[in-house]
Amino acid sequence: MSVLFRLPLRSTWTLTLLASLCISSIPFLTRLGLLLGVPANTLLNGRMALALIGFILHALLYRLPLTAHTLRWGSGIGIVVGIGEWAFLQGVSQTGAALASVFLGLTPIAVFVVYQVWQRAARPARHWVRLMLGVGGSILLMFPTSAVGWSEGSVWLMVAVCCFAAQMILTQMAGDVDQRLLGLAITGAAWIVITLVDFPALTVLPSLALSQWLIVLGLALFGTYLARLTLIAAIQHGGALEFALLSPMQIVFGVGWAWWLLGERLTGWQLAGAGAVMLCLLLAL
């Protein structure tokens, strides 16, 4: 039988594919916005603000009731996401879209490690192989080169990975809540965190050119609004661990955008690290 028919082609797979496609646009669009001259923090603040407006309008249109439970969990997750988004922005500003995309692929490994420790389950040899591939791949990704070494950007990307892994696990712990309202609460809290870090960045938005506004709008629509809805829905349907194990395509999409549209390249060592991370994740299929 073809490998295709053995893959979990059900709703969790479909939602994960859509979420990965949306998430993979973040490094590329962020890097493109920076190249077009949009200030880094303005890019992030504008993206979150527009996405928040979208969630608010959606909730008002459908008259969705925001419960205290959803608000508590969403606010907590949003604080973590806000820190992660800001750290990711610092990382992609200093490294590039291609390397940042591969770092995002380390998020499932972090989720996997947390679940192994949390559940205290038996650890088959295959799991240890995956863990070694993931750790080894992450080391190779930060291998010292003339372009990208053990830089501050790499550290910021690792901080972002930890925050995004926590987001997946906390989203599952939030339970069966409306993903639109949870997305609203998460985005609102994340925007507050980002605004507190650099409020003046918000004041630059009115002076952006049309091309710059289109980048911010693309990030808000694909990288925040749709990405958050599909991510929450996928996790609610199949769990954080299954979502994490089915999302290696983020690397493929993200590096593909950076290579095709921005002309970025990874070094040989970093390509080897990316391959190790991909193999680690694909062993779950």
Side-chain angles (χ1 to χ4, degrees):
M1 182 183 294
S2 169
V3 174
L4 177 64
F5 293 102
R6 295 202 299 267
L7 294 177
L9 296 175
R10 53 184 185 273
S11 58
T12 301
W13 176 268
T14 304
L15 289 167
T16 301
L17 177 63
L18 293 174
S20 298
L21 184 59
C22 291
I23 293 170
S24 70
S25 70
I26 298 175
F28 159 67
L29 289 175
T30 298
R31 191 64 176 173
L32 184 58
L34 294 173
L35 293 175
L36 289 176
V38 184
N41 290 342
T42 299
L43 193 64
L44 178 58
N45 202 307
R47 164 194 161 197
M48 286 294 172
L50 290 180
L52 178 59
I53 292 172
F55 277 113
I56 292 174
L57 292 177
H58 196 148
L60 292 176
L61 180 63
Y62 289 92
R63 299 181 180 179
L64 302 175
L66 183 61
T67 64
H69 172 83
T70 302
L71 184 60
R72 283 196 304 270
W73 277 99
S75 299
I77 298 171
I79 292 173
V80 174
V81 169
I83 297 171
E85 292 283 4
W86 189 83
F88 182 80
L89 179 65
Q90 310 313 308
V92 74
S93 300
Q94 299 177 40
T95 58
L99 187 60
S101 297
V102 181
F103 264 92
L104 279 180
L106 298 176
T107 305
I109 300 173
V111 174
F112 171 77
V113 171
V114 170
Y115 266 84
Q116 286 296 100
V117 174
W118 185 5
Q119 296 178 346
R120 301 182 182 275
R123 297 174 177 82
R126 179 176 175 175
H127 285 188
W128 286 111
V129 170
R130 292 183 60 214
L131 183 58
M132 287 187 290
L133 284 170
V135 173
S138 64
I139 293 174
L140 289 175
L141 284 174
M142 296 183 289
F143 196 86
T145 66
S146 59
V148 179
W150 298 92
S151 64
E152 182 182 348
S154 299
V155 175
W156 281 121
L157 289 173
M158 288 303 296
V159 172
V161 165
C162 293
C163 290
F164 296 151
Q167 173 195 7
M168 293 183 187
I169 296 171
L170 291 173
T171 298
Q172 179 177 344
M173 293 174 64
D176 187 19
V177 298
D178 191 300
Q179 59 261 32
R180 297 165 295 181
L181 291 173
L182 186 60
L184 167 61
I186 291 174
T187 306
W191 177 75
I192 291 173
V193 169
I194 293 164
T195 302
L196 290 175
V197 170
D198 187 6
F199 177 77
L202 187 63
T203 63
V204 180
L205 284 172
S207 63
L208 295 181
L210 177 60
S211 59
Q212 296 172 323
W213 264 111
L214 290 176
I215 297 298
V216 177
L217 181 60
L219 275 168
L221 178 59
F222 296 105
T224 308
Y225 184 80
L226 293 177
R228 189 144 295 145
L229 285 178
T230 50
L231 183 147
I232 294 172
I235 291 176
Q236 287 181 339
H237 185 274
L241 185 58
E242 184 171 359
F243 175 84
L245 296 179
L246 294 177
S247 58
M249 60 280 289
Q250 289 179 24
I251 303 175
V252 179
F253 291 145
V255 174
W257 299 134
W259 171 78
W260 181 37
L261 298 172
L262 295 179
E264 294 188 1
R265 297 291 187 275
L266 295 176
T267 67
W269 287 110
Q270 291 162 349
L271 284 173
V277 172
M278 283 293 296
L279 181 57
C280 167
L281 296 176
L282 289 174
L283 282 175
L285 297 180

